[in-house]
Amino acid sequence: MWERLNGEPSNQRVLEMVVDQKATLRSRLVSIQAEMGGHLYPFDHAQTSTTLQEYALPRVPVESDLGGLVEATERMQSRLISVQTKLFARLAQAAEKIEEAIGMLPLPEPDDELDTTLASSAR
């Protein structure tokens, strides 16, 4: 994209916007990476010393590397969604164990026919 736009006078404003957004994107990635800091990746299958930063955003590309910035953002998003999903699953398992320990009956399984009806009406 950069090569196609570069050099065309009519695309100067678009190029300026891309340059500005690259700087903003990189700045946000650096900030997110710093916030991850030394927090350990919370799952057993990882090495015990793996940090969330190493797992999700090990490096932030230089500002001039638009493709690298986009790839790093996509990887981080995908991996953090995966971590969030796994954490929610663990939370649900813990809640089920607590409910069982205090004698609560498990919730009934959802009715597949009802799910299909709800999905159809949502369209």
Side-chain angles (χ1 to χ4, degrees), residues 1-19:
M1 176 182 88
W2 182 260
E3 290 172 1
R4 290 187 69 189
L5 292 173
N6 204 8
E8 295 289 325
S10 62
N11 294 327
Q12 189 59 37
R13 178 71 182 125
V14 173
L15 289 172
E16 289 171 3
M17 289 172 57
V18 168
V19 168

Side-chain angles (χ1 to χ4, degrees), residues 100-120:
E100 183 181 330
I102 62 173
M104 291 179 69
L105 295 175
L107 292 174
E109 291 295 320
D111 183 6
D112 289 335
E113 189 175 309
L114 179 61
D115 289 344
T116 304
T117 305
L118 290 174
S120 296

Side-chain angles (χ1 to χ4, degrees), residues 11-67:
N11 294 327
Q12 189 59 37
R13 178 71 182 125
V14 173
L15 289 172
E16 289 171 3
M17 289 172 57
V18 168
V19 168
D20 184 49
Q21 291 304 311
K22 284 190 317 181
T24 301
L25 177 57
R26 184 170 194 287
S27 174
R28 287 184 179 164
L29 288 174
V30 167
S31 175
I32 291 168
Q33 187 186 47
E35 288 294 322
M36 288 180 189
H39 297 285
L40 293 178
Y41 177 73
F43 299 104
D44 301 336
H45 64 272
Q47 296 176 353
T48 57
S49 62
T50 300
T51 64
L52 194 54
Q53 182 185 71
E54 291 167 334
Y55 175 73
L57 189 57
R59 73 174 194 86
V60 177
V62 295
E63 188 176 315
S64 61
D65 183 5
L66 178 60

